[in-house]
Amino acid sequence: MTRQVLECLVTTDPETGAPAPALATSWTQSSDLMSWTFTLREGVSFHDGAPFNAAAVKANFDRWFSFTPQFRATHPGVSFTSVFKAHADQASLSLYKACTIVSEHEVRIDLTQPLTSFLAAMTAPGFAISSPAALTAGTADVEDQPSSGIKISKYAQHPVGTGPFQFRSWTKDAVVLESSQGYWGTRGQIAQLSFVVYDTPQSRLQALVAGTIDGYDAVTIDNIETLVRKGFQVVRRDPFSVMYLGMNQSVPLLQNDKVRQAIAMGINKDAVIKPYFLEDTKPASQFVPPKLSGFNTPGGFPGYDPEKAKRLLSEAGYKGEELPFFYPLNVTRLYLPSPEKVYAELSAQLTLLGLNIKPVPVDWSDGYLQKVTSPGDHAFHLLGRYGTFADPDDFLAPLFGAKSGEFGFFDAQIFSKIERARGLPDGTDRTQAYQNINAQIGSSAPAVPIAFPISAVAVSSRVATYPTSPVLNETFNHVTLAAG
Protein backbone atom coordinates (compact mmCIF):
# COMPACT_ATOMS: atom_id res chain seq x y z
CA MET A 1 0.00 0.00 0.00
CA THR A 2 2.95 2.29 0.61
CA ARG A 3 3.89 1.99 -3.05
CA GLN A 4 0.39 3.10 -4.13
CA VAL A 5 0.22 6.20 -1.92
CA LEU A 6 3.84 7.32 -1.61
CA GLU A 7 6.61 7.68 -4.17
CA CYS A 8 10.39 7.73 -4.06
CA LEU A 9 12.81 10.03 -5.83
CA VAL A 10 13.67 7.03 -8.01
CA THR A 11 11.53 4.11 -9.14
CA THR A 12 12.40 0.89 -10.99
CA ASP A 13 12.15 -0.05 -14.64
CA PRO A 14 9.23 -2.51 -14.93
CA GLU A 15 11.26 -4.88 -17.10
CA THR A 16 14.76 -4.78 -15.63
CA GLY A 17 14.31 -3.41 -12.11
CA ALA A 18 17.00 -0.79 -12.83
CA PRO A 19 16.59 2.73 -11.34
CA ALA A 20 14.28 5.01 -13.37
CA PRO A 21 12.93 8.57 -12.89
CA ALA A 22 10.07 9.16 -10.46
CA LEU A 23 9.89 12.26 -8.23
CA ALA A 24 13.37 13.02 -9.52
CA THR A 25 13.64 13.41 -13.28
CA SER A 26 17.44 13.08 -13.39
CA TRP A 27 20.51 12.82 -11.17
CA THR A 28 24.27 13.15 -11.26
CA GLN A 29 27.03 11.71 -9.10
CA SER A 30 30.06 13.77 -8.07
CA SER A 31 33.52 12.79 -9.30
CA ASP A 32 34.57 11.74 -5.79
CA LEU A 33 31.47 9.45 -5.61
CA MET A 34 30.42 11.10 -2.34
CA SER A 35 27.45 13.22 -3.49
CA TRP A 36 24.31 12.77 -5.56
CA THR A 37 22.38 15.74 -6.95
CA PHE A 38 18.73 15.17 -7.90
CA THR A 39 16.65 17.37 -10.20
CA LEU A 40 13.08 17.19 -8.92
CA ARG A 41 9.88 16.94 -10.90
CA GLU A 42 8.07 20.29 -11.00
CA GLY A 43 4.35 20.90 -10.64
CA VAL A 44 3.78 17.96 -8.27
CA SER A 45 1.61 18.27 -5.14
CA PHE A 46 1.04 15.99 -2.19
CA HIS A 47 -2.48 14.65 -1.66
CA ASP A 48 -3.04 17.31 1.02
CA GLY A 49 -2.30 20.06 -1.53
CA ALA A 50 1.16 20.92 -0.20
CA PRO A 51 3.82 21.39 -2.91
CA PHE A 52 6.45 18.75 -3.52
CA ASN A 53 9.85 20.45 -3.59
CA ALA A 54 13.41 20.29 -2.27
CA ALA A 55 12.29 21.37 1.21
CA ALA A 56 9.96 18.35 1.39
CA VAL A 57 12.75 15.97 0.40
CA LYS A 58 15.08 17.45 3.00
CA ALA A 59 12.39 17.23 5.70
CA ASN A 60 12.01 13.49 5.04
CA PHE A 61 15.75 12.78 5.06
CA ASP A 62 16.22 14.87 8.21
CA ARG A 63 13.45 12.87 9.90
CA TRP A 64 14.96 9.48 8.96
CA PHE A 65 18.44 10.56 10.04
CA SER A 66 17.05 11.72 13.41
CA PHE A 67 15.20 8.52 14.36
CA THR A 68 15.90 7.99 18.07
CA PRO A 69 17.56 4.88 19.56
CA GLN A 70 14.22 4.05 21.20
CA PHE A 71 12.39 4.21 17.87
CA ARG A 72 15.06 2.11 16.15
CA ALA A 73 14.95 -0.52 18.90
CA THR A 74 11.29 -1.19 18.14
CA HIS A 75 11.80 -0.96 14.36
CA PRO A 76 14.90 -3.06 13.59
CA GLY A 77 14.10 -3.22 9.88
CA VAL A 78 14.14 0.52 9.17
CA SER A 79 15.48 1.11 5.64
CA PHE A 80 17.64 4.08 6.63
CA THR A 81 19.49 1.97 9.21
CA SER A 82 19.95 -0.93 6.78
CA VAL A 83 21.42 1.29 4.07
CA PHE A 84 23.33 3.95 6.02
CA LYS A 85 24.19 2.00 9.21
CA ALA A 86 23.77 4.82 11.73
CA HIS A 87 21.79 7.95 12.54
CA ALA A 88 22.36 11.47 13.84
CA ASP A 89 23.21 10.31 17.37
CA GLN A 90 26.11 8.29 15.88
CA ALA A 91 26.84 10.55 12.91
CA SER A 92 30.51 9.52 12.70
CA LEU A 93 29.42 5.93 11.97
CA SER A 94 26.80 6.80 9.36
CA LEU A 95 27.31 6.57 5.60
CA TYR A 96 24.84 9.47 5.31
CA LYS A 97 26.07 13.01 5.86
CA ALA A 98 23.38 15.52 4.86
CA CYS A 99 20.62 16.53 2.47
CA THR A 100 21.10 20.07 1.16
CA ILE A 101 18.63 22.26 -0.74
CA VAL A 102 20.37 23.52 -3.89
CA SER A 103 17.27 25.23 -5.30
CA GLU A 104 13.51 24.80 -5.06
CA HIS A 105 13.68 21.77 -7.34
CA GLU A 106 17.16 20.45 -6.70
CA VAL A 107 18.68 18.62 -3.73
CA ARG A 108 22.11 17.19 -2.98
CA ILE A 109 22.63 14.15 -0.78
CA ASP A 110 26.13 13.85 0.65
CA LEU A 111 27.65 10.60 1.89
CA THR A 112 30.61 9.99 4.18
CA GLN A 113 32.01 7.33 1.84
CA PRO A 114 31.08 5.85 -1.56
CA LEU A 115 28.03 3.58 -1.56
CA THR A 116 27.58 1.72 -4.85
CA SER A 117 24.00 0.62 -4.12
CA PHE A 118 22.84 4.14 -3.13
CA LEU A 119 20.76 4.88 -6.22
CA ALA A 120 19.14 1.43 -6.20
CA ALA A 121 18.43 1.84 -2.47
CA MET A 122 16.52 5.05 -3.16
CA THR A 123 13.88 2.94 -4.97
CA ALA A 124 12.97 1.11 -1.73
CA PRO A 125 9.56 2.05 -0.22
CA GLY A 126 11.30 2.99 3.03
CA PHE A 127 12.63 6.06 1.19
CA ALA A 128 9.25 7.20 -0.13
CA ILE A 129 8.55 10.90 0.38
CA SER A 130 5.70 11.93 2.70
CA SER A 131 4.05 15.32 3.03
CA PRO A 132 6.00 17.16 5.77
CA ALA A 133 2.81 18.93 6.85
CA ALA A 134 1.03 15.58 7.24
CA LEU A 135 3.99 14.11 9.14
CA THR A 136 3.80 17.00 11.59
CA ALA A 137 0.01 16.99 11.92
CA GLY A 138 0.02 13.21 12.41
CA THR A 139 2.90 13.29 14.94
CA ALA A 140 4.56 10.62 12.81
CA ASP A 141 7.22 9.67 15.37
CA VAL A 142 4.80 9.35 18.31
CA GLU A 143 3.37 5.85 18.30
CA ASP A 144 0.34 6.05 20.56
CA GLN A 145 -2.44 4.52 18.45
CA PRO A 146 -3.30 0.83 19.03
CA SER A 147 -3.31 -1.33 15.88
CA SER A 148 -3.32 -5.16 15.70
CA GLY A 149 -1.53 -5.63 18.98
CA ILE A 150 1.08 -2.90 18.42
CA LYS A 151 1.08 0.89 18.50
CA ILE A 152 1.50 3.16 15.49
CA SER A 153 1.35 6.89 14.88
CA LYS A 154 -1.65 8.91 13.73
CA TYR A 155 0.21 9.55 10.48
CA ALA A 156 0.56 5.81 9.88
CA GLN A 157 -3.24 5.62 10.02
CA HIS A 158 -3.50 8.20 7.21
CA PRO A 159 -0.36 8.48 5.05
CA VAL A 160 -0.07 11.36 2.58
CA GLY A 161 2.15 11.15 -0.48
CA THR A 162 2.23 11.99 -4.19
CA GLY A 163 1.34 8.54 -5.56
CA PRO A 164 -1.30 7.45 -8.06
CA PHE A 165 -3.70 6.57 -5.24
CA GLN A 166 -4.55 8.54 -2.13
CA PHE A 167 -5.56 7.15 1.23
CA ARG A 168 -9.28 7.16 2.01
CA SER A 169 -9.96 4.86 4.99
CA TRP A 170 -8.64 2.01 7.12
CA THR A 171 -11.05 -0.19 9.05
CA LYS A 172 -10.62 -3.55 10.74
CA ASP A 173 -11.36 -5.38 7.49
CA ALA A 174 -10.07 -3.19 4.67
CA VAL A 175 -7.93 -0.32 3.49
CA VAL A 176 -9.55 1.81 0.78
CA LEU A 177 -7.56 3.97 -1.63
CA GLU A 178 -8.89 6.13 -4.46
CA SER A 179 -7.32 7.42 -7.65
CA SER A 180 -5.55 10.73 -7.09
CA GLN A 181 -7.25 13.34 -9.28
CA GLY A 182 -4.16 15.49 -9.64
CA TYR A 183 -1.60 12.74 -10.12
CA TRP A 184 1.32 13.87 -12.28
CA GLY A 185 1.71 10.51 -14.06
CA THR A 186 -0.58 7.84 -15.53
CA ARG A 187 -3.70 7.56 -13.39
CA GLY A 188 -4.78 4.25 -14.88
CA GLN A 189 -8.27 2.71 -14.98
CA ILE A 190 -8.96 1.98 -11.32
CA ALA A 191 -10.99 4.61 -9.49
CA GLN A 192 -11.14 2.84 -6.12
CA LEU A 193 -8.86 0.18 -4.72
CA SER A 194 -9.76 -1.93 -1.68
CA PHE A 195 -7.30 -4.16 0.16
CA VAL A 196 -9.43 -6.67 2.08
CA VAL A 197 -8.21 -8.91 4.89
CA TYR A 198 -8.65 -12.70 4.81
CA ASP A 199 -7.12 -14.98 7.41
CA THR A 200 -6.39 -18.06 5.31
CA PRO A 201 -5.40 -18.98 1.73
CA GLN A 202 -8.67 -20.91 1.40
CA SER A 203 -10.80 -17.90 2.33
CA ARG A 204 -8.95 -15.75 -0.22
CA LEU A 205 -9.57 -18.41 -2.88
CA GLN A 206 -13.26 -18.58 -2.02
CA ALA A 207 -13.58 -14.80 -2.22
CA LEU A 208 -11.97 -14.75 -5.68
CA VAL A 209 -14.20 -17.58 -6.93
CA ALA A 210 -17.29 -15.79 -5.56
CA GLY A 211 -16.32 -12.54 -7.27
CA THR A 212 -15.97 -10.69 -3.97
CA ILE A 213 -12.39 -9.73 -4.84
CA ASP A 214 -10.56 -9.38 -8.15
CA GLY A 215 -7.18 -10.71 -7.15
CA TYR A 216 -4.94 -11.84 -4.34
CA ASP A 217 -1.25 -12.21 -3.71
CA ALA A 218 0.65 -15.16 -2.33
CA VAL A 219 -0.98 -18.01 -4.25
CA THR A 220 -0.14 -21.24 -2.44
CA ILE A 221 0.53 -24.72 -3.75
CA ASP A 222 -2.70 -25.87 -2.07
CA ASN A 223 -4.90 -23.77 -4.33
CA ILE A 224 -3.01 -23.15 -7.59
CA GLU A 225 -4.56 -26.20 -9.27
CA THR A 226 -8.04 -25.02 -8.35
CA LEU A 227 -7.29 -21.56 -9.74
CA VAL A 228 -6.01 -22.93 -13.05
CA ARG A 229 -8.89 -25.40 -13.34
CA LYS A 230 -11.43 -22.61 -12.84
CA GLY A 231 -9.76 -20.47 -15.48
CA PHE A 232 -8.22 -17.75 -13.31
CA GLN A 233 -5.09 -16.05 -14.53
CA VAL A 234 -2.07 -16.79 -12.32
CA VAL A 235 0.85 -14.41 -12.83
CA ARG A 236 4.17 -15.71 -11.54
CA ARG A 237 7.15 -13.72 -10.32
CA ASP A 238 10.81 -14.67 -10.41
CA PRO A 239 12.26 -15.19 -6.92
CA PHE A 240 13.31 -12.03 -5.17
CA SER A 241 13.20 -13.22 -1.60
CA VAL A 242 14.89 -15.82 0.57
CA MET A 243 13.25 -17.92 3.27
CA TYR A 244 15.52 -19.07 6.09
CA LEU A 245 15.82 -20.79 9.44
CA GLY A 246 17.19 -18.26 11.91
CA MET A 247 19.51 -19.32 14.74
CA ASN A 248 20.20 -17.11 17.76
CA GLN A 249 23.72 -17.27 19.19
CA SER A 250 22.52 -15.61 22.38
CA VAL A 251 21.46 -19.17 23.20
CA PRO A 252 24.77 -20.68 24.44
CA LEU A 253 24.48 -23.97 22.54
CA LEU A 254 24.17 -22.12 19.22
CA GLN A 255 27.45 -20.30 19.77
CA ASN A 256 29.12 -23.61 18.93
CA ASP A 257 30.16 -23.70 15.25
CA LYS A 258 29.76 -27.48 15.12
CA VAL A 259 26.15 -27.26 16.29
CA ARG A 260 25.22 -24.67 13.67
CA GLN A 261 27.01 -26.62 10.94
CA ALA A 262 25.22 -29.78 12.06
CA ILE A 263 21.87 -28.04 11.78
CA ALA A 264 22.76 -26.66 8.34
CA MET A 265 23.69 -30.10 7.00
CA GLY A 266 20.81 -31.85 8.77
CA ILE A 267 18.07 -30.06 6.81
CA ASN A 268 16.60 -31.66 3.70
CA LYS A 269 15.52 -28.51 1.85
CA ASP A 270 13.76 -30.39 -0.95
CA ALA A 271 11.48 -32.04 1.61
CA VAL A 272 10.50 -28.57 2.84
CA ILE A 273 10.07 -27.02 -0.60
CA LYS A 274 8.27 -29.57 -2.74
CA PRO A 275 5.11 -29.98 -0.61
CA TYR A 276 4.68 -26.33 0.41
CA PHE A 277 6.17 -23.97 -2.22
CA LEU A 278 5.18 -23.23 -5.81
CA GLU A 279 6.77 -25.21 -8.62
CA ASP A 280 10.25 -24.05 -9.65
CA THR A 281 11.08 -22.80 -6.16
CA LYS A 282 14.75 -23.71 -5.72
CA PRO A 283 16.71 -24.69 -2.60
CA ALA A 284 18.79 -21.75 -1.37
CA SER A 285 22.52 -22.28 -1.05
CA GLN A 286 23.07 -18.68 0.17
CA PHE A 287 21.21 -15.49 1.04
CA VAL A 288 21.64 -13.66 -2.30
CA PRO A 289 18.98 -14.59 -4.92
CA PRO A 290 20.26 -15.97 -8.25
CA LYS A 291 19.42 -12.90 -10.33
CA LEU A 292 21.78 -10.61 -8.38
CA SER A 293 25.50 -10.09 -8.80
CA GLY A 294 27.50 -11.83 -6.12
CA PHE A 295 25.49 -15.04 -6.36
CA ASN A 296 27.80 -18.03 -6.57
CA THR A 297 26.40 -21.46 -7.35
CA PRO A 298 28.20 -23.43 -4.60
CA GLY A 299 26.99 -20.99 -1.95
CA GLY A 300 29.24 -22.22 0.82
CA PHE A 301 26.72 -24.04 3.04
CA PRO A 302 27.27 -27.77 3.57
CA GLY A 303 25.12 -30.27 1.67
CA TYR A 304 22.49 -32.52 3.24
CA ASP A 305 24.25 -35.15 5.38
CA PRO A 306 22.16 -36.15 8.42
CA GLU A 307 24.59 -38.82 9.65
CA LYS A 308 27.49 -36.38 9.74
CA ALA A 309 25.19 -33.84 11.39
CA LYS A 310 24.46 -36.29 14.21
CA ARG A 311 28.18 -36.94 14.69
CA LEU A 312 28.89 -33.21 14.91
CA LEU A 313 26.16 -32.75 17.52
CA SER A 314 27.66 -35.58 19.54
CA GLU A 315 31.15 -34.08 19.24
CA ALA A 316 29.75 -30.74 20.36
CA GLY A 317 28.50 -32.34 23.57
CA TYR A 318 24.80 -31.69 23.09
CA LYS A 319 22.96 -33.03 26.13
CA GLY A 320 19.34 -32.59 25.09
CA GLU A 321 18.84 -28.96 26.12
CA GLU A 322 15.42 -27.60 25.16
CA LEU A 323 15.52 -25.25 22.15
CA PRO A 324 12.55 -22.88 21.62
CA PHE A 325 11.50 -22.73 17.95
CA PHE A 326 9.36 -19.67 17.14
CA TYR A 327 7.05 -19.74 14.12
CA PRO A 328 4.20 -17.46 12.98
CA LEU A 329 0.46 -18.16 12.84
CA ASN A 330 -2.27 -16.62 10.68
CA VAL A 331 -0.05 -15.14 7.99
CA THR A 332 0.99 -15.85 4.42
CA ARG A 333 4.20 -14.22 3.24
CA LEU A 334 5.61 -14.39 -0.28
CA TYR A 335 8.66 -16.12 1.19
CA LEU A 336 6.64 -18.31 3.57
CA PRO A 337 3.26 -19.38 2.15
CA SER A 338 2.42 -22.02 4.79
CA PRO A 339 4.32 -21.26 8.02
CA GLU A 340 2.76 -23.92 10.21
CA LYS A 341 3.47 -26.69 7.68
CA VAL A 342 7.02 -25.52 7.06
CA TYR A 343 7.60 -25.41 10.83
CA ALA A 344 6.22 -28.95 11.22
CA GLU A 345 8.58 -30.32 8.55
CA LEU A 346 11.67 -28.50 9.84
CA SER A 347 11.02 -29.33 13.49
CA ALA A 348 10.54 -32.99 12.56
CA GLN A 349 13.88 -32.99 10.74
CA LEU A 350 15.66 -31.30 13.65
CA THR A 351 14.07 -33.74 16.11
CA LEU A 352 15.39 -36.65 14.02
CA LEU A 353 18.88 -35.20 14.45
CA GLY A 354 18.35 -35.54 18.20
CA LEU A 355 17.47 -31.92 19.07
CA ASN A 356 14.90 -31.22 21.77
CA ILE A 357 12.58 -28.76 20.02
CA LYS A 358 10.06 -26.68 21.98
CA PRO A 359 7.37 -25.24 19.66
CA VAL A 360 6.58 -21.57 20.23
CA PRO A 361 3.71 -20.48 17.95
CA VAL A 362 3.17 -16.70 17.85
CA ASP A 363 0.39 -14.95 15.98
CA TRP A 364 1.88 -12.64 13.34
CA SER A 365 -0.31 -9.78 14.58
CA ASP A 366 0.96 -10.38 18.13
CA GLY A 367 4.34 -8.91 17.24
CA TYR A 368 6.00 -12.04 15.82
CA LEU A 369 8.41 -10.04 13.67
CA GLN A 370 9.60 -7.89 16.56
CA LYS A 371 9.95 -10.90 18.88
CA VAL A 372 12.25 -12.85 16.56
CA THR A 373 14.37 -9.87 15.47
CA SER A 374 14.92 -8.57 19.01
CA PRO A 375 17.21 -10.05 21.69
CA GLY A 376 15.48 -12.95 23.42
CA ASP A 377 15.38 -16.69 24.06
CA HIS A 378 14.36 -17.75 20.54
CA ALA A 379 16.81 -20.48 19.55
CA PHE A 380 15.23 -21.00 16.12
CA HIS A 381 12.74 -19.01 14.10
CA LEU A 382 11.21 -18.92 10.63
CA LEU A 383 11.60 -15.75 8.61
CA GLY A 384 12.63 -14.46 5.22
CA ARG A 385 13.74 -11.31 3.49
CA TYR A 386 12.12 -9.61 0.53
CA GLY A 387 14.40 -7.69 -1.74
CA THR A 388 13.59 -3.99 -1.83
CA PHE A 389 16.19 -3.07 -4.45
CA ALA A 390 18.32 -5.03 -6.89
CA ASP A 391 21.69 -5.30 -5.17
CA PRO A 392 23.31 -8.01 -3.00
CA ASP A 393 23.88 -5.32 -0.37
CA ASP A 394 20.10 -5.27 0.27
CA PHE A 395 20.25 -8.87 1.49
CA LEU A 396 23.63 -9.19 3.19
CA ALA A 397 24.06 -5.85 4.97
CA PRO A 398 20.70 -5.86 6.84
CA LEU A 399 21.05 -9.52 7.84
CA PHE A 400 24.77 -9.92 8.51
CA GLY A 401 26.41 -6.48 8.39
CA ALA A 402 26.30 -5.91 12.18
CA LYS A 403 25.36 -7.70 15.36
CA SER A 404 21.60 -8.04 15.71
CA GLY A 405 19.02 -9.33 18.15
CA GLU A 406 17.85 -11.77 15.51
CA PHE A 407 21.02 -13.84 15.18
CA GLY A 408 23.13 -12.62 18.11
CA PHE A 409 26.36 -13.39 16.28
CA PHE A 410 29.48 -11.25 16.07
CA ASP A 411 31.95 -11.77 13.25
CA ALA A 412 34.16 -8.72 12.77
CA GLN A 413 35.66 -10.16 9.59
CA ILE A 414 32.29 -10.65 7.89
CA PHE A 415 31.12 -7.21 9.06
CA SER A 416 34.27 -5.65 7.63
CA LYS A 417 34.03 -7.48 4.30
CA ILE A 418 30.41 -6.43 3.83
CA GLU A 419 31.35 -2.84 4.65
CA ARG A 420 34.16 -2.91 2.06
CA ALA A 421 32.04 -4.53 -0.66
CA ARG A 422 29.37 -1.85 -0.33
CA GLY A 423 31.81 0.79 -1.59
CA LEU A 424 33.42 -1.18 -4.41
CA PRO A 425 32.45 -0.02 -7.92
CA ASP A 426 30.26 -2.36 -9.96
CA GLY A 427 32.37 -4.97 -11.70
CA THR A 428 34.36 -8.14 -11.23
CA ASP A 429 35.98 -7.16 -7.92
CA ARG A 430 32.64 -6.34 -6.30
CA THR A 431 31.01 -9.51 -7.60
CA GLN A 432 33.95 -11.58 -6.30
CA ALA A 433 33.80 -9.83 -2.93
CA TYR A 434 30.14 -10.76 -2.46
CA GLN A 435 30.78 -14.33 -3.60
CA ASN A 436 33.51 -14.62 -0.97
CA ILE A 437 31.18 -13.18 1.67
CA ASN A 438 28.52 -15.75 0.73
CA ALA A 439 31.06 -18.55 1.13
CA GLN A 440 32.19 -17.27 4.53
CA ILE A 441 28.62 -16.92 5.77
CA GLY A 442 28.10 -20.52 4.64
CA SER A 443 31.02 -21.77 6.70
CA SER A 444 29.91 -19.74 9.75
CA ALA A 445 26.18 -20.57 9.35
CA PRO A 446 24.56 -17.82 11.48
CA ALA A 447 21.30 -18.90 9.80
CA VAL A 448 20.30 -21.48 7.17
CA PRO A 449 18.85 -20.36 3.82
CA ILE A 450 16.09 -22.76 2.80
CA ALA A 451 14.42 -21.52 -0.40
CA PHE A 452 14.26 -18.87 -3.11
CA PRO A 453 10.45 -18.89 -3.36
CA ILE A 454 8.50 -18.40 -6.57
CA SER A 455 5.46 -16.22 -5.80
CA ALA A 456 2.32 -15.59 -7.82
CA VAL A 457 -0.75 -13.37 -8.04
CA ALA A 458 -4.21 -14.68 -8.99
CA VAL A 459 -6.62 -12.30 -10.75
CA SER A 460 -10.23 -12.46 -11.92
CA SER A 461 -11.54 -12.16 -15.47
CA ARG A 462 -12.14 -8.43 -14.84
CA VAL A 463 -8.36 -7.95 -14.91
CA ALA A 464 -6.76 -8.03 -18.37
CA THR A 465 -3.13 -7.64 -17.26
CA TYR A 466 -1.36 -7.49 -13.92
CA PRO A 467 2.21 -6.21 -14.39
CA THR A 468 4.52 -7.97 -11.97
CA SER A 469 7.85 -6.42 -11.06
CA PRO A 470 11.24 -8.12 -10.75
CA VAL A 471 11.74 -6.18 -7.50
CA LEU A 472 8.12 -6.35 -6.21
CA ASN A 473 7.47 -2.70 -7.14
CA GLU A 474 3.88 -3.10 -8.34
CA THR A 475 1.54 -0.10 -8.59
CA PHE A 476 -2.10 -0.58 -9.53
CA ASN A 477 -2.32 2.35 -11.92
CA HIS A 478 -0.56 0.03 -14.39
CA VAL A 479 -3.17 -2.72 -14.06
CA THR A 480 -5.39 -2.91 -17.13
CA LEU A 481 -9.03 -3.98 -16.88
CA ALA A 482 -10.96 -6.14 -19.30
CA ALA A 483 -13.42 -4.40 -21.59
CA GLY A 484 -17.08 -4.53 -20.70
Side-chain angles (χ1 to χ4, degrees):
M1 282 171 272
T2 298
R3 292 193 188 272
Q4 316 307 318
V5 175
L6 307 174
E7 295 178 300
C8 300
L9 295 179
V10 186
T11 188
T12 54
D13 181 277
E15 298 297 327
T16 66
L23 288 177
T25 56
S26 62
W27 46 83
T28 57
Q29 187 179 19
S30 62
S31 58
D32 66 0
L33 309 182
M34 304 275 274
S35 297
W36 290 81
T37 301
F38 292 88
T39 300
L40 306 180
R41 193 174 296 276
E42 298 186 27
V44 176
S45 296
F46 290 101
H47 299 146
D48 59 3
F52 165 75
N53 52 28
V57 175
K58 177 174 170 54
N60 278 263
F61 272 89
D62 287 351
R63 172 178 176 254
W64 299 325
F65 190 40
S66 300
F67 281 153
T68 64
Q70 294 79 14
F71 182 88
R72 296 181 332 246
T74 56
H75 299 276
V78 168
S79 292
F80 193 97
T81 312
S82 298
V83 172
F84 297 113
K85 288 186 60 178
H87 295 254
D89 60 313
Q90 297 175 306
S92 63
L93 302 178
S94 182
L95 303 187
Y96 172 87
K97 186 175 182 181
C99 179
T100 302
I101 296 172
V102 179
S103 68
E104 185 179 1
H105 295 291
E106 196 171 36
V107 297
R108 187 183 71 248
I109 297 173
D110 297 314
L111 308 177
T112 59
Q113 64 188 63
L115 179 60
T116 304
S117 62
F118 171 80
L119 194 61
M122 291 299 99
T123 68
F127 292 105
I129 306 297
S130 293
S131 161
L135 289 171
T136 300
T139 53
D141 298 330
V142 179
E143 297 183 311
D144 55 1
Q145 306 295 308
S147 175
S148 299
I150 61 172
K151 289 191 174 181
I152 62 175
S153 69
K154 291 177 184 175
Y155 176 76
Q157 295 178 321
H158 193 123
V160 179
T162 60
F165 294 91
Q166 61 188 50
F167 182 88
R168 179 174 171 182
S169 64
W170 180 7
T171 62
K172 180 176 180 293
D173 298 317
V175 173
V176 179
L177 312 179
E178 57 189 11
S179 179
S180 175
Q181 297 288 328
Y183 182 55
W184 61 267
T186 302
R187 285 183 59 197
Q189 297 175 274
I190 298 173
Q192 183 171 294
L193 184 59
S194 297
F195 291 92
V196 185
V197 177
Y198 292 93
D199 289 338
T200 66
Q202 189 60 30
S203 61
R204 288 194 289 275
L205 173 64
Q206 290 169 349
L208 184 65
V209 170
T212 307
I213 60 176
D214 291 298
Y216 70 85
D217 210 340
V219 171
T220 66
I221 199 167
D222 294 333
N223 53 40
I224 191 168
E225 286 188 15
T226 302
L227 289 164
V228 173
R229 191 170 62 249
K230 290 182 177 292
F232 289 100
Q233 184 184 173
V234 177
V235 187
R236 287 163 44 111
R237 303 185 186 95
D238 288 337
F240 195 56
S241 63
V242 59
M243 176 256 161
Y244 59 81
L245 173 72
M247 296 186 283
N248 180 11
Q249 292 182 38
S250 295
V251 175
L253 178 72
L254 295 176
Q255 293 172 11
N256 189 313
D257 289 350
K258 285 186 176 180
V259 171
R260 298 196 310 278
Q261 284 291 326
I263 291 164
M265 67 180 60
I267 293 175
N268 182 346
K269 296 176 184 178
D270 285 330
V272 178
I273 292 169
K274 287 181 179 177
Y276 308 124
F277 289 82
L278 294 184
E279 187 179 0
D280 294 331
T281 292
K282 303 297 184 190
S285 60
Q286 59 206 280
F287 284 86
V288 174
K291 67 168 69 175
L292 297 181
S293 65
F295 176 86
N296 58 331
T297 303
F301 279 82
Y304 178 51
D305 190 340
E307 294 310 312
K308 185 176 180 182
K310 290 175 184 176
R311 289 198 303 272
L312 282 178
L313 282 176
S314 176
E315 291 171 14
Y318 177 60
K319 297 289 193 285
E321 297 96 321
E322 189 174 70
L323 297 166
F325 190 155
F326 284 53
Y327 64 98
L329 302 176
N330 298 318
V331 69
T332 300
R333 309 290 283 175
L334 297 187
Y335 57 71
L336 191 57
S338 304
E340 294 96 330
K341 294 176 180 178
V342 170
Y343 161 77
E345 174 61 35
L346 281 172
S347 65
Q349 291 189 23
L350 295 177
T351 299
L352 283 174
L353 293 180
L355 296 175
N356 180 8
I357 299 296
K358 175 188 177 184
V360 185
V362 179
D363 201 283
W364 184 267
S365 64
D366 192 29
Y368 176 82
L369 189 60
Q370 185 173 341
K371 288 177 181 178
V372 300
T373 56
S374 302
D377 67 345
H378 48 93
F380 302 116
H381 63 277
L382 291 183
L383 207 57
R385 178 164 181 83
Y386 299 121
T388 53
F389 58 91
D391 193 275
D393 182 50
D394 185 38
F395 286 84
L396 296 182
L399 291 173
F400 307 115
K403 186 172 182 179
S404 69
E406 181 176 5
F407 304 123
F409 89 112
F410 186 92
D411 190 320
Q413 191 178 65
I414 287 179
F415 298 166
S416 176
K417 286 185 175 181
I418 289 175
E419 179 70 15
R420 175 179 175 271
R422 304 181 83 193
L424 291 174
D426 276 327
T428 304
D429 287 349
R430 190 170 192 259
T431 297
Q432 185 65 55
Y434 278 115
Q435 289 177 340
N436 291 341
I437 291 166
N438 281 331
Q440 190 164 344
I441 290 172
S443 63
S444 174
V448 183
I450 304 294
F452 293 127
I454 295 284
S455 65
V457 181
V459 294
S460 76
S461 59
R462 294 178 62 194
V463 178
T465 63
Y466 181 93
T468 59
S469 162
V471 291
L472 306 179
N473 183 6
E474 297 163 2
T475 52
F476 285 72
N477 58 321
H478 295 298
V479 170
T480 59
L481 303 179

